[in-house]
Amino acid sequence: MSVILETRDVSCVFRVSGGFMAKKRSLHAVNGVSITVEKGSVLGLVGESGCGKSTMAKMLLGLQAPTGGAVLFDGEPLGDMDRLARARRVQPIFQDPYSSLNPRKSIEDIVTLPLRVHKVGGPADWSARAAEMMDLVGLSRRYLTSYPSQLSGGQRQRVAIARALAMKPEVVICDEPTSALDVSVQSQILNLLMDLRQELGLTYVLISHDLAVVEHIASRVAVMYLGRIVEEKDTETLFGNPQHPYTRALLASVLTPEPGKGVPDAQLGAAFPNPLAPPPGCMFHPRCVKAMPHCSTTPPQPVPSGDGHVECHLYAPARKNVA
Ligand code: SF4
């Protein structure tokens, strides 16, 4: 498979006000991230709130310019493309279909919005495309004259998917696509996304804190912590043999399917650190059960592991025997 989307050492630094009379400080939302996404695959991007997932999503969509490195689409910098070229390549599906759909617009207007914004075709084309998209996402065409408030949560997310696909993009960035939905409709939406991927040859970047969803549909997984990818592997290897202590803690925090066992201890003793004042050395060291003295002073480097990498001193060549 060929690489369709790639980031090379990409960073995004925000200057944040420190308060009245205080100096502005730098927030490294994304800090030197390199990922590749192969055509037709699903890359799962997981991590806690504040780890940089949403900033990554915005950069992959061309909505946020990186402050360092580059985002490449088919080898071409995304930042060099005009808005129409970008919109034809990559589209988003957002978390909350309640807030991402304009309540005053009809479903037809919502689904065809990208075509109208980018002036692709005319009114007759837009109506035809809207009907085609409704068929594609399994919604009756009669809803085209309805408004979002007349639809259920699952139906609204189908509308959001129809809108994302109206431009016939190659890549879809799915930002927590099911987390605002009832459990009963989550699997329907996930199955729809997987069917569409098969049918249209789509590539997904799936941003989620729900590891069960990621395990179900991702081909590869990247685990993000304070702006860094700390482990990246194919899904089976990562879930079967997690190496980074943070990945292990994340997996341990997933609800067990056995009744009565409850939520296992995530082993993350300390709270998620303030991204404005990240810990020195390995940024995970205040929460790490395996931390060693030099972890608090020396940042770990990525170490090749399996077909990906892990970023932890435990796996540095001289220390492999103690992992
Ligand atoms: Fe833990 Fe040290 Fe590895 Fe960081 S480098 S994850 S603190 S063992």
Side-chain angles (χ1 to χ4, degrees):
M1 280 195 286
S2 59
V3 171
I4 188 164
L5 185 60
E6 185 180 359
T7 69
R8 284 196 194 149
D9 200 22
V10 85
S11 297
C12 189
V13 183
F14 298 107
R15 296 289 290 159
V16 180
S17 166
F20 183 62
M21 300 286 282
K23 278 207 302 198
K24 284 196 165 184
R25 290 193 285 172
S26 296
L27 190 154
H28 293 258
V30 174
N31 194 0
V33 165
S34 298
I35 52 169
T36 54
V37 188
E38 293 188 335
K39 197 171 171 52
S41 71
V42 181
L43 174 72
L45 195 56
V46 302
E48 293 162 282
S49 297
C51 72
K53 302 188 302 271
S54 296
T55 305
M56 273 297 286
K58 285 183 189 151
M59 289 196 289
L60 295 176
L61 285 160
L63 300 175
Q64 173 73 51
T67 52
V71 180
L72 307 175
F73 198 102
D74 265 339
E76 189 185 343
L78 204 62
D80 290 355
M81 297 177 192
D82 62 30
R83 286 179 66 210
L84 175 59
R86 276 205 308 263
R88 285 189 189 281
R89 288 175 167 87
V90 54
Q91 285 284 325
I93 297 171
F94 293 114
Q95 173 177 6
D96 187 354
Y98 295 87
S99 61
S100 69
L101 306 184
N102 186 334
R104 285 187 290 278
K105 296 287 184 188
S106 71
I107 300 305
E108 177 163 349
D109 283 347
I110 289 170
V111 170
T112 56
L113 181 71
L115 303 171
R116 289 182 287 113
V117 166
H118 297 290
K119 299 186 173 57
V120 177
D125 306 303
W126 300 338
S127 292
R129 184 68 63 86
E132 183 192 342
M133 291 299 114
M134 295 296 269
D135 295 347
L136 197 61
V137 300
L139 275 179
S140 166
R141 295 182 182 190
R142 70 188 159 85
Y143 290 120
L144 283 169
T145 53
S146 302
Y147 289 82
S149 61
Q150 296 169 297
L151 272 53
S152 69
Q155 287 171 327
R156 289 184 215 199
Q157 197 56 309
R158 284 175 194 264
V159 171
I161 294 169
R163 177 179 59 185
L165 300 182
M167 292 289 286
K168 308 210 164 175
E170 294 167 76
V171 175
V172 181
I173 311 294
C174 308
D175 190 356
E176 305 275 8
T178 58
S179 60
L181 302 175
D182 288 346
V183 175
S184 57
V185 292
Q186 284 183 359
S187 59
Q188 293 169 18
I189 296 298
L190 287 176
N191 288 338
L192 172 65
L193 286 171
M194 294 315 286
D195 290 347
L196 291 170
R197 181 180 76 107
Q198 192 78 22
E199 196 176 330
L200 306 174
L202 293 167
T203 304
Y204 294 146
V205 176
L206 172 68
I207 292 167
S208 181
H209 67 274
D210 187 335
L211 292 166
V213 168
V214 170
E215 185 177 17
H216 183 54
I217 71 172
S219 2
R220 294 187 70 78
V221 183
V223 180
M224 215 168 168
Y225 189 79
L226 274 177
R228 296 283 300 168
I229 302 289
V230 295
E231 186 165 4
E232 197 260 336
K233 304 257 172 64
D234 71 90
T235 305
E236 206 180 323
T237 308
L238 187 126
F239 278 84
N241 180 26
Q243 288 188 296
H244 196 284
Y246 180 58
T247 312
R248 290 184 190 171
L250 273 186
L251 293 187
S253 70
V254 175
L255 267 174
T256 160
E258 282 103 33
K261 277 194 99 179
V263 185
D265 182 5
Q267 297 185 317
L268 294 172
F272 191 75
N274 178 359
L276 277 169
C282 171
M283 291 186 284
F284 185 59
H285 83 261
R287 308 170 84 189
C288 181
V289 292
K290 297 265 188 183
M292 300 168 281
H294 65 294
C295 293
S296 58
T297 54
T298 313
Q301 298 302 311
V303 178
S305 170
D307 64 348
H309 81 268
V310 58
E311 195 170 272
C312 171
H313 288 309
L314 289 171
Y315 304 96
R319 293 195 165 264
K320 266 186 182 161
N321 51 342
V322 298

